[in-house]
Every structure is written in C-alpha cells, then in structure tokens.
Amino acid sequence: LQHLNPGRRVSGKRKDHPKLAPSGPQSGTPRDLSPVFDYVKETGSLPFDPAATGSVAAQFLAAFEDADAELFSELAAAARRPRSQVAPDLTTLAGGKRLFEISLPHYQALQSLCTALTYRAAAAARCGDGQRAAESIEIMLRMGEGVGTEPALISLLVTMLFDFLTIDAIWEATRCDVLDADTLERIQRSLSQIDYQSIYLRATRAELLMGLDAIDFIGREGGEAIKLIGYLGGAPSPALGNLLRLAPRGWIDQNRSHLVHWNLDYIILPARDGTLDELSKGLLRIEKVLVETRSQPLSYPHKALPMVHMSAGGSVARRLIYQEAVRRIAVCACALQRHRLAHGEYPEQLEQLLPEFLAEVPADPSAPGGSPIQYRREGERFRLWALGSDGENDGGDAGDPE
C-alpha cells in the first residue's frame, strides 16, 4: 500500500503524486478521485483490470480488494478489539538506546495506509457499499487512537492528520448516506472519546524527558555530543563542539532547569489542569518567550539548549484548536444523521438532538466566550461550522479553501 507515496518512477522518470484540491469538510465539495486514479493506474501500483468499464469509484474499490483483501479483513478484525496500540512502549522501543535516539519509522507506512483507506472509504461510499466504507473509517479511527498513545510530539501531529483524513471519509459516507444508525453511533462514540489535550500532555512529558536526557548527555560527553545539536534543532559545528567540551556543569544544570520550567509553566500544567483555551494561551506565550530569547541568544546562555529544543507553540496551538473544532463538528454530523434516520428529517436546531443523540451541544473551541458550534438546516442537507481564527461568523461559507 505504498502506492500513494509521492515520487514513484514510471519508465525511469519520476512521477509525482497529483496535487489535491481541498475537499470534504474543508470546502463542502466531494473529493475528486480521478487524478489519483490516473496516477495509480500509470504507476501500476494497483491491479486494475484493463477491460473494466465501470465508474472510477467502482474500479478503485475493486483494485483495492484485488490488491490485498486479506489485509483489509485482518485490519477490520483488529479494529474491533478493545484497545489499540501501534508500536511497543517507549522503553521497549528504545531497545537500550538513549531516549533521544529513538526513531519512529512506522509513521510513513501508516500514513500511506491511512491515505489509502481514505480513498477506499470514498470509493465504497460512492458505490453504495456501506460495509466497506464503515470498515475503512473504523480502521482509521483505531489507527489514530493507537498512534495517540505513543509519547512523542510527532505522534500528536500524526494522530491529528489521521483523524482529519478519517473525518473526510465520514463526510463522504454521510453525503452518500451509506452508514446505518448503529455504525454512526459507534463512529460518534469513537470521535467523542478523542482527547487531544491528554495526547498532547503525554507527548510533552515524553519530549521533556528526551530533552533532559539529551542535555545530560551533552554535559557528560562534552565534545562527543556535538551530533546531538542536530537532534535539538541546531547546526553542529567544530567550534560549538569545542565550546561544549569546556562547558561547566552549572551551565548544564541551568539549561535543564529552564527546560523543565518552560514545559511545566506553559504546557504541562495548563494541559493537565486547564482547558483547551488555557493550553492554547500557554503555547502562544512560550512562542513569544522563544522569539525573544532567540533574538538575543548571547544574552541567554543559560537558556541556549532548551531554546533550540522547544518547538514553536503557536503553530501547534492553532492546529489543536482547528482539529478540535473539526472533531466536534464531526460528532454533531453523526448525531444529525442518526436523528434523520430515526425521524425522517434533520432538526431545526442542534438542541433537538438532546439527549437521545447528543449529550450536549459542543462549544466552538475557536469562538470567544464558548459559543456553540453553528448549525443550519438547508432542506435535505445541513451546514455545520465553527467561527475560525478570525472569530467572525461568515454563515458557514468555506470561502477560499486554499
């Protein structure tokens, strides 16, 4: 299932993956399967029948099943198990290495699989095959859950990517009306259990341990630890190696202390004890601190190592808020579909979903004051939206999805 990776070669020439326009929950328009269909056929990565004359969706779905039906069957069975874990725990994964030396090579293969499942779900939905669409969606949900248990910051970002692709597939399946009430309830329950704040807290604690391990290694190994500067985000140089060789232990301890305090004050405590909004504000504050520190590095030698280790909090905060809004919208969408299946129509207001289909109307995480997710019934369809980073209610107009 590596067929959706960019950079395949056809007749010795590089064939890049087609650029895909925003679709589904981003723009309110169905995903165009044709560019990827043509790409996969040209690269010969899936076993298409040259005599097939059906729709693109039907040929795509048949090719997936011909490629490895047993794999999808095994994944579907695994998705029904009570817990999901993709890789071993951190200690086992380290295998005797230091924490900062751990690699996570499985993410590339998992991303290819998740992307493939997105197209499989869309193709199945358009063919009216609710079973395979639901199967793909539930596999993707469990993949996101499994990656989210891994204590690394990249695991949060990969989890959010997987969940976004999953929600895109849910959008396709609900648009085609191929999911029954029981399946929608299971999907809604899985979406409701996703807690990005807890995932981020777990990831940050692990990143802190890795950073402390790296700084301690620098303090003990001196110039031999120059390769670590690459891990911390800097550019290694012989001069820097000589400087590290002369570094006093007190300087190492100061750097360790600042790394702990920055993580505790701006990320860990807000994530553990506060709301998503408080965590977002903490991430924006640490971003300002880092900008100030990096603008005058010689003035802050005791913060040099945490300065290059800490990531930009603002981009993570914006992504967290956006993804949480999309998740809450998807929960509402599942509840609305269940209401329509039970009563023959969508409600006029989200409050009519309570308590049978929704425990409460979720707040919009991007809106000041905690106003609810916005909803409007539009005949046989509906529109759900959040205010977004500008805080303005544009009536759910997607505008320019780029």
Side-chain angles (χ1 to χ4, degrees):
L1 290 174
Q2 295 291 325
H3 58 277
L4 293 175
N5 275 349
R8 302 280 302 187
R9 291 193 172 273
V10 181
S11 301
K13 296 182 179 179
R14 180 184 176 88
K15 178 69 176 179
D16 290 327
H17 191 287
K19 186 178 186 299
L20 302 177
S23 62
Q26 283 182 295
S27 64
T29 57
R31 181 181 295 279
D32 184 2
L33 296 179
S34 298
V36 179
F37 176 77
D38 294 339
Y39 167 81
V40 173
K41 283 190 72 174
E42 187 172 355
T43 56
S45 303
L46 282 178
F48 287 100
D49 181 356
T53 58
S55 67
V56 167
Q59 292 186 61
F60 226 148
L61 186 60
F64 273 123
E65 302 315 303
D66 291 343
D68 205 334
E70 289 185 7
L71 170 65
F72 291 116
S73 177
E74 183 177 348
L75 289 169
R80 292 190 288 270
R81 293 173 184 162
R83 288 188 66 249
S84 175
Q85 183 175 330
V86 177
D89 62 81
L90 202 61
T91 306
T92 305
L93 201 60
K97 298 179 181 178
R98 303 192 71 91
L99 291 178
F100 57 79
E101 296 178 303
I102 295 175
S103 61
L104 302 168
H106 54 291
Y107 284 163
Q108 183 176 354
L110 290 176
Q111 184 172 337
S112 291
L113 174 58
C114 196
T115 304
L117 287 164
T118 303
Y119 289 115
R120 182 176 184 258
R126 294 179 197 185
C127 292
D129 190 337
Q131 178 184 345
R132 284 189 174 87
E135 183 180 86
S136 301
I137 289 168
E138 293 187 274
I139 293 169
M140 294 162 72
L141 282 166
R142 300 312 298 275
M143 286 173 60
E145 176 192 339
V147 171
T149 65
E150 298 178 10
L153 184 57
I154 191 175
S155 68
L156 169 70
L157 303 177
V158 173
T159 297
M160 291 195 294
L161 170 63
F162 286 5
D163 289 346
F164 187 83
L165 292 173
T166 305
I167 291 168
D168 188 290
I170 294 170
W171 186 92
E172 282 277 2
T174 54
R175 181 184 72 87
C176 297
D177 197 18
V178 297
L179 302 179
D180 59 39
D182 290 341
T183 300
L184 284 164
E185 184 177 9
R186 286 199 310 272
I187 291 172
Q188 182 180 340
R189 185 165 58 248
S190 294
L191 287 169
S192 299
Q193 291 170 350
I194 297 172
D195 186 349
Y196 295 121
Q197 193 165 330
S198 294
I199 296 173
Y200 190 48
L201 176 60
R202 185 186 306 115
T204 301
R205 285 169 166 163
E207 291 286 335
L208 173 57
L209 288 175
M210 292 179 190
L212 290 171
D213 192 31
I215 293 174
D216 186 61
F217 183 71
I218 289 173
R220 288 189 291 102
E221 300 297 330
E224 295 300 317
I226 185 62
K227 66 183 81 170
L228 263 185
I229 299 300
Y231 160 77
L232 290 172
S237 68
L240 188 55
N242 293 331
L243 184 62
L244 288 175
R245 196 174 286 111
L246 299 173
R249 182 68 207 187
W251 177 76
I252 294 294
D253 290 341
Q254 281 184 312
N255 277 269
R256 284 169 55 88
S257 174
H258 278 287
L259 181 62
V260 170
H261 281 294
W262 279 355
N263 275 277
L264 280 177
D265 295 345
Y266 297 110
I267 303 176
I268 292 177
L269 293 180
R272 191 193 69 182
D273 302 329
T275 63
L276 185 63
D277 182 58
E278 289 170 322
L279 172 58
S280 177
K281 289 176 180 177
L283 290 169
L284 293 172
R285 285 197 295 269
I286 187 58
E287 184 173 52
K288 291 181 179 179
V289 169
L290 289 171
V291 168
E292 178 186 350
T293 306
R294 287 167 180 164
S295 66
Q296 305 177 61
L298 296 180
S299 301
Y300 302 100
H302 50 297
K303 301 178 182 178
L305 297 179
M307 176 178 64
V308 295
H309 171 70
M310 296 286 288
S311 61
S315 60
V316 176
R318 286 184 287 272
R319 182 65 190 175
L320 269 174
I321 295 295
Y322 177 80
Q323 185 66 27
E324 178 62 16
V326 172
R327 184 193 69 82
R328 294 181 188 184
I329 286 174
V331 168
C332 290
C334 290
L336 286 164
Q337 287 295 107
R338 292 171 58 209
H339 182 283
R340 186 188 64 78
L341 290 174
H343 300 289
E345 62 181 3
Y346 294 116
E348 293 296 331
Q349 298 178 329
L350 290 180
E351 285 76 11
Q352 292 174 249
L353 297 172
L354 311 180
E356 184 178 3
F357 304 104
L358 202 61
E360 60 180 0
V361 177
D364 178 354
S366 65
S371 62
I373 293 291
Q374 303 295 308
Y375 165 75
R376 183 171 65 245
R377 177 178 168 179
E378 299 180 345
E380 296 301 311
R381 295 185 61 77
F382 61 85
R383 189 178 297 264
L384 286 163
W385 71 95
L387 299 189
S389 57
D390 60 5
E392 296 182 5
N393 191 343
D394 55 13
D397 180 12
D400 181 4
E402 296 286 358

